[in-house]
Amino acid sequence: MLPPIGCIPIIITLYGSGNNKCVEEINDVALNFNKKLNFTTENLVKMLSGLNLVFFDLYQPLYELVTKPSNYGFFEARKGCCASGLVEVGFTCNRKSIGTCANASEYVFWDSLHPTQATNKFLIDRLIPAIISLVYN
Ligand SMILES: *[C@@H]1O[C@H](CO)[C@@H](O)[C@H](O)[C@H]1NC(C)=O
Ligand SMILES: *[C@@H]1O[C@H](CO)[C@@H](O)[C@H](O)[C@H]1NC(C)=O
């Protein structure tokens, strides 16, 4: 299951041709992969009765969040909280980096690659009902 890779800040910085928009050509690659994975999952479940395997769609909720952050109480999706938020990743980033935002929970991304805890919570809140229905079915 791949996320909307074309919406990750560093990917937009590198491949966005100056548009601050998701790179849909790259998202298409992820969507295609996910479609095949879903197909494979469904076939496995048909072949192996008793196998509880479910394809969780995280692509759509994350895409929705990145394209309409304010609908979900987020403020910024194009830039990560850390430093400029456009290129820095991992160890070059910490709370004291110049430019780091005051409140990461309003940001979809912590740095130009990784989601914030607020984003992880957003996704988990959407996964839990699916997991519960899987366990109690
Ligand atoms: C997986 O494919 C089936 C059709 O084969 C479709 O009904 C279902 O919505 C797909 N699931 C996801 C998460 O895309
Ligand atoms: C950070 O932002 C969230 C969401 O807007 C808000 O609920 C929280 O109170 C803020 N925290 C601080 C320390 O400003």
Side-chain angles (χ1 to χ4, degrees):
M1 175 71 227
L2 290 174
I5 305 166
C7 298
I8 294 170
I10 195 164
I11 297 294
I12 299 177
T13 302
L14 293 175
Y15 302 106
S17 325
N19 300 320
N20 281 326
K21 289 202 180 128
C22 299
V23 185
E24 295 302 345
E25 292 86 345
I26 294 180
N27 279 343
D28 286 346
V29 174
L31 279 171
N32 229 319
F33 175 85
N34 291 344
K35 211 189 283 175
K36 287 180 184 152
L37 189 64
N38 184 18
F39 182 76
T40 305
T41 305
E42 296 197 336
N43 278 336
L44 278 174
V45 169
K46 272 182 219 147
M47 277 162 44
L48 306 167
S49 59
L51 177 68
N52 262 346
L53 195 60
V54 172
F55 180 85
F56 291 121
D57 185 10
L58 283 177
Y59 182 99
Q60 291 307 333
L62 198 51
Y63 187 82
E64 178 75 14
L65 178 61
V66 167
T67 51
K68 300 179 200 122
S70 57
N71 288 6
Y72 303 98
F74 286 74
F75 158 79
E76 180 62 68
R78 166 64 186 102
K79 295 188 292 188
C81 165
C82 174
S84 80
L86 298 172
V87 290
E88 298 88 348
V89 173
F91 71 91
T92 59
C93 263
N94 61 61
R95 241 164 259 292
K96 295 199 180 97
S97 302
I98 292 165
T100 295
C101 73
N103 190 351
S105 62
E106 298 175 332
Y107 280 64
V108 175
F109 294 96
W110 160 245
D111 59 19
S112 67
L113 182 60
H114 302 96
T116 56
Q117 299 216 336
T119 297
N120 288 333
K121 180 173 186 312
F122 171 91
L123 292 174
I124 286 165
D125 288 347
R126 278 149 188 82
L127 270 183
I128 285 172
I131 292 169
I132 288 174
S133 77
L134 174 66
V135 171
Y136 293 100
N137 249 332

